[in-house]
Amino acid sequence: MPAPTSTTADSHLNYTARPRMFRAPWQRYAWAAVPLASISALAFVPFVVAWRRRVVPAWVAGLYVLGSVFWWALAVIKPDGPDALLTWALRAFIAAATIHILLLDPIKRQAK
């Protein structure tokens, strides 16, 4: 049976680094281009990958999956009427996903 974790002076020796989303610095920008290039239909992909790598919780990936499903559904339905609100909502979703992807790993970690 393993001993409970202590907060003594040697507890820093047991530290394990947080999993990384980006293995190389260029990947941050490649992943951030996904929601922009796919017009948010594939915005969920980087977050599913981040969830599988244990960088974000499952609910974050789930929110982006639901957001992408919403935009897929609107693309199929093609609602009539004023679409200014939908246009701005789509732009907000794309911006939020892009910024969130860029912030998945702290910049300081990329320099290492």
Side-chain angles (χ1 to χ4, degrees), residues 39-40 70-71 74 82-97:
I39 309 299
S40 83
F70 174 75
W71 294 111
L74 281 182
D83 59 353
L85 179 62
L86 290 176
T87 301
W88 283 102
L90 178 61
R91 290 175 183 168
F93 183 68
I94 292 169

Side-chain angles (χ1 to χ4, degrees), residues 1 3-4 8 12 16 22 24 29 35 45 60 69-70 79 93-94 97 108:
M1 177 180 235
T8 59
H12 68 282
T16 56
F22 309 113
Y29 305 104
V45 173
V60 172
V69 166
F70 174 75
F93 183 68
I94 292 169
K108 191 173 185 180

Side-chain angles (χ1 to χ4, degrees), residues 6-30:
S6 66
T7 57
T8 59
D10 64 347
S11 65
H12 68 282
L13 299 174
N14 298 331
Y15 173 76
T16 56
R18 189 177 138 225
R20 294 184 58 172
M21 173 63 184
F22 309 113
R23 308 278 192 244
W26 61 269
Q27 290 178 349
R28 172 185 306 273
Y29 305 104

